Amino acid sequence: MADPFEVRMKFTHQLQHLNASVNSAQKAAVYALRHQDMDEDLHSCILEQLEKNNMNNRANIMFFIEQLCDMARRENHLEFVRMVQRDILRIIDAVAPSDGTGAANVKVVRKVLSGLLDKKVLSPQTIAELEDCLKDRDTATALSPDTHNSNPTSTTNTNNKDLTPTTTKASALSRPDKRQIEQRIEEDRERHKRLRESIWAVNSEENREFERLWEDTSDIGEDDFVGAEDDAYERRRAVREVEFVYSQKVHLVDKPL
C-alpha cells in the first residue's frame, strides 16, 4: 500500500502544475483513481489547492474536476462524483469568488457546469440554482478601472485612509502579474483550439453524421432533374470525344508507311 503522505504530496504537485492540455488533466485523474481508497483525502487536496492557488490554476483545476468526474463515472467509482456534488458551491466560490476577483473564471465555471450537466453529474435544477449565484460575478467589482487611472497626487491621502486590509488583499488578487496574464492567454488559446476541433466530432455509432447531412439536404425538385440531365449529356459528349481521339490514334498506327 502506498504511503498516504507521499500520495497526497504527488497529487498536490500534479494539481499545482495543471495546464490547458487534456493530458495533464487525464494524468492527474488517473492518479486519483489509482488511489481511490484515499478519495476523501485527495478530494480535500483539490479543495485546498482551489483556495490557495492563483486564478489560472483554479481554472485548470475546475476543468480537471470535470475530467475526474467523467472518468470516475466510467470506472464506476462514484465517490468522487458524490463529493463534487456535495461541495460544488464551495468549489465555485473558490474558482469565481463573489467579490469580483474571479470574474475572468466565470466563463470557465459555466463551461464546466454545462459539461457536468451533459454527463449527468449535476441535475438541471442544481445548475439553475448555481447560475443564480453566478449571474453577478462576471463583473469585476473589487476595483474599477477609474481607480487605476485617477491622479495619484490627488488621491494618495484618501486611499491611505480608506483602504482596509481586506480591500488591499482583494486589490492584490484582482491584479494578476504579466506572466499570469500571458499564461492565461496561451491556455485559453489552447482550449479554444480543442473546442474548434471537437465541433466536427460525431458519434459514428448513432449515425449522427448521416442524419445531419440528410437534414441539411434540400428536397429534390425539377431543377435537380434538369441539372442531372445536363451532367449526363456532358459525360456522354466527353466519352464520344475520347473515343474519337483514340480511334484516330489507332488508325495512324495501323496505316502502312
Side-chain angles (χ1 to χ4, degrees):
M1 180 177 178
D3 178 47
F5 178 77
E6 182 181 357
V7 171
R8 184 182 178 92
M9 292 299 295
K10 286 185 177 180
F11 187 61
T12 299
H13 182 268
Q14 289 180 338
L15 293 177
Q16 291 174 343
H17 292 82
L18 287 172
N19 53 48
S21 69
V22 178
N23 290 336
S24 67
Q26 288 180 341
K27 182 179 178 181
V30 168
Y31 186 84
L33 293 172
R34 187 186 306 152
H35 299 282
Q36 56 187 251
D37 55 316
M38 299 175 55
D39 48 18
E40 187 74 36
D41 196 27
L42 296 180
H43 181 73
S44 68
C45 287
I46 296 174
L47 298 178
E48 179 182 321
Q49 293 305 311
L50 278 174
E51 294 170 351
K52 287 175 57 178
N53 278 287
N54 60 48
M55 288 300 162
N56 289 350
N57 291 103
R58 296 183 193 190
N60 290 330
I61 294 175
M62 190 70 187
F63 282 110
F64 158 75
I65 289 174
E66 180 184 0
Q67 183 75 41
L68 176 62
C69 289
D70 185 33
M71 295 178 64
R73 288 182 70 254
R74 288 203 299 261
E75 297 193 14
N76 200 29
H77 185 74
L78 302 180
E79 193 58 33
F80 279 114
V81 177
R82 284 192 285 268
M83 288 186 289
V84 169
Q85 293 171 339
R86 180 193 67 198
D87 296 327
I88 187 62
L89 186 57
R90 180 180 175 185
I91 292 171
I92 291 176
D93 286 338
V95 179
S98 58
D99 60 2
T101 56
N105 283 345
V106 173
K107 289 184 178 180
V108 171
V109 172
R110 287 197 170 107
K111 180 174 176 56
V112 172
L113 289 180
S114 177
L116 295 177
L117 176 63
D118 294 339
K119 296 175 176 64
K120 295 181 171 53
V121 175
L122 298 177
S123 65
Q125 181 181 356
T126 302
I127 295 295
E129 294 173 355
L130 295 173
E131 279 292 338
D132 289 338
C133 299
L134 286 172
K135 61 183 179 181
D136 295 328
R137 298 191 185 188
D138 53 356
T139 304
T141 57
L143 280 179
S144 64
D146 295 338
T147 304
H148 300 292
N149 296 331
S150 59
N151 188 352
T153 59
S154 61
T155 60
T156 302
N157 295 332
T158 304
N159 290 339
N160 290 337
K161 292 178 182 179
D162 295 341
L163 284 179
T164 62
T166 304
T167 307
T168 304
K169 183 178 180 181
S171 301
L173 289 174
S174 64
R175 292 198 298 268
D177 58 30
K178 182 179 179 181
R179 185 185 64 82
Q180 291 178 4
I181 294 173
E182 292 175 348
Q183 178 187 358
R184 183 57 177 266
I185 292 173
E186 289 298 323
E187 291 178 345
D188 286 346
R189 183 181 292 116
E190 177 66 23
R191 293 190 187 99
H192 292 159
K193 178 182 177 182
R194 289 206 315 270
L195 179 61
R196 289 195 299 271
E197 293 172 350
S198 64
I199 289 175
W200 301 100
V202 293
N203 191 343
S204 58
E205 297 179 358
E206 299 180 5
N207 295 324
R208 291 183 181 178
E209 185 173 8
F210 170 78
E211 293 175 359
R212 186 182 63 192
L213 292 173
W214 181 263
E215 292 175 358
D216 293 342
T217 303
S218 61
D219 296 334
I220 296 178
E222 185 178 352
D223 294 340
D224 296 313
F225 290 107
V226 173
E229 291 176 357
D230 291 341
D231 292 339
Y233 173 77
E234 292 295 334
R235 286 195 296 271
R236 287 194 297 268
R237 189 178 69 175
V239 169
R240 287 196 298 268
E241 291 178 354
V242 171
E243 290 177 345
F244 175 76
V245 172
Y246 179 76
S247 64
Q248 292 296 318
K249 288 183 178 179
V250 171
H251 178 70
L252 292 174
V253 171
D254 295 339
K255 184 176 181 180
L257 297 175

